[in-house]
Amino acid sequence: GQWGDSGGKSHRAEAAHAELGHTWSSRWKPRLALWLNYASGDQNNADGSNQRFDPLYGASYAFYGYTSYFTWQNMINPAFRLSFQPFKKLKCELIHRGDWLASDTDAWVKSGRRDATGNSGSFVGQETDVRLVWQVRTNLEIDLAYAHFFPGGFTANTGAAPPTNFMQVAAALRF
């Protein structure tokens, strides 16, 4: 929770993360998990108070989607995650997320889109993420990630709304 004054407005906001999952003890070490991320949004930009949660620090990459379209502000973000390890040096994960605005009169913060009337709805869209991490050598790891964003009603009602793709190839060399 957050409370106090910020920028001449009273500030009262909250956020939470919940996770429920199970890991099986089979060879592939499969894990199935359900997540829920929540962060409050501002109810009325002109009322002298602010209810939008401010994450203060930290990266949003991968916590709320590999596209980095979301941050821990004005969000309801349930997710389903399946991870497994088919080989000792290969880890795989599949995540599907839904994204809603906690307050349909506040902004989808990372995009800058806002409908102060709330008439555009609250469903921003869905994202599917796939990630493979291959331990090539003791000191070399290759990380591949792909994400696809499916725009929802809020996105379509507030501007251009094409589906988008994100691809990442990264390497970590430790010495």
Side-chain angles (χ1 to χ4, degrees), residues 52-102:
R52 183 190 298 159
F53 185 77
D54 183 347
L56 301 176
Y57 306 104
S60 62
Y61 176 76
F63 291 116
Y64 315 113
Y66 289 120
T67 59
S68 292
Y69 288 170
F70 302 93
T71 186
W72 207 16
Q73 294 178 289
N74 192 31
M75 70 159 20
I76 300 171
N77 173 243
F80 158 87
R81 179 178 185 244
L82 173 64
S83 60
F84 54 95
Q85 191 170 353
F87 305 104
K88 183 178 179 182
K89 296 184 176 192
L90 181 65
K91 295 177 184 175
C92 309
E93 74 177 0
L94 172 67
I95 304 172
H96 187 78
R97 312 163 195 272
D99 294 288
W100 285 263
L101 301 175

Side-chain angles (χ1 to χ4, degrees), residues 14-26:
E14 59 276 335
H17 168 82
E19 181 173 344
L20 177 66
H22 180 76
T23 304
W24 284 268
S25 58
S26 69

